[in-house]
Amino acid sequence: MSDKNILIHPVWLRATHWINAFAVLLLVTSGWRIYNASPFFPFSIPANLTLGGWLGGALQWHFFAMWLLLINGIAYLLINFFSGRLRRQFFPVSPSAFLNDMAAALKGKLAHADPRKYNTVQRVAYLFVMLDIVLIVLSGLVLWKSVQFPLLRELMGGYEAARRVHFFAMAALVGFVAVHLVMVALVPRTLLAMVRGR
């Protein structure tokens, strides 16, 4: 079998990846509109980068995308876990391997010989974004149903603290996406693999 015919990403992985990407785009842009309605920093997000048109519209988009991300994210995690892919692709992770791969990446010498296997930097980045999305969902629950989740609200330091947790977790996700897009631009065959699977 030639390299062009080797399966890199199965259909379920590609589908959940692109659904997550779509949901995150909707969540971030509608979330920026929601933030603009009551900013807690001395700046607002430019309106042309936001979604929803007004607060009510942004909330509707945000709730739709929230459910999309939640259902799709649970499916992604369950399939990863029960197929054994979570263990195979994301572990083990060691500090020394991470530092070595990070040093190689910063020098532009990180190998991408086999796109079916993640290097340690990728493993850490993907594990981070999974945990970050969990934090976004939990803090979002506090913002959406604060009265129904009093323990979660208190664990986050109260409603206003949860707003900041949600904002910074979102900013971390946007940072991840930005770096991810740069890496895709540097290694474009990874995009082809995520589209075609091979």
Side-chain angles (χ1 to χ4, degrees):
M1 183 182 290
S2 70
D3 288 349
K4 290 182 179 179
N5 292 322
I6 295 174
L7 182 64
I8 297 171
H9 302 305
V11 172
W12 70 263
L13 180 64
R14 285 178 280 145
T16 55
H17 172 274
W18 291 115
I19 292 169
N20 273 345
F22 178 65
V24 165
L25 177 65
L26 295 181
L27 280 166
V28 169
T29 54
S30 61
W32 284 345
R33 174 68 71 169
I34 295 165
Y35 165 83
N36 282 351
S38 182
F40 45 80
F41 290 119
F43 65 83
S44 293
I45 310 297
N48 58 350
L49 296 179
T50 67
L51 175 68
W54 61 297
L55 179 58
L59 285 168
Q60 289 178 341
W61 277 110
H62 210 66
F63 291 148
F64 163 73
M66 170 195 72
W67 286 113
L68 185 62
L69 181 72
L70 184 64
I71 293 166
N72 190 64
I74 289 171
Y76 170 83
L77 289 174
L78 289 176
I79 296 170
N80 261 294
F81 180 78
F82 287 109
S83 68
R85 184 178 181 275
L86 188 68
R87 177 183 45 79
R88 287 192 312 271
Q89 285 287 52
F90 300 105
F91 296 97
V93 175
S94 73
S96 60
F98 173 75
L99 292 174
N100 288 338
D101 281 356
M102 181 59 81
L106 292 174
K107 294 174 186 173
K109 296 180 179 178
L110 189 60
H112 291 280
D114 188 351
R116 293 171 297 173
K117 296 182 180 176
Y118 296 151
N119 59 56
T120 311
V121 172
Q122 288 174 301
R123 290 177 180 184
V124 169
Y126 293 141
L127 288 170
F128 165 79
V129 82
M130 286 181 216
L131 294 173
D132 187 53
I133 288 175
V134 170
L135 183 60
I136 288 172
V137 169
L138 292 177
S139 57
L141 285 174
V142 172
L143 301 182
W144 180 39
K145 297 285 187 180
S146 182
V147 173
Q148 287 85 347
F149 295 99
L151 179 60
L152 190 55
R153 183 186 65 232
E154 294 312 309
L155 286 173
M156 292 195 176
Y159 183 85
E160 284 301 318
R163 286 186 70 203
R164 284 156 177 79
V165 168
H166 199 67
F167 183 90
F168 285 116
M170 175 276 305
L173 181 59
V174 170
F176 167 83
V177 170
V179 172
H180 190 59
L181 292 175
V182 169
M183 298 310 295
V184 167
L186 293 174
V187 189
R189 65 192 170 108
T190 58
L191 176 61
L192 293 175
M194 190 52 76
V195 172
R196 298 183 310 187
R198 302 183 184 278

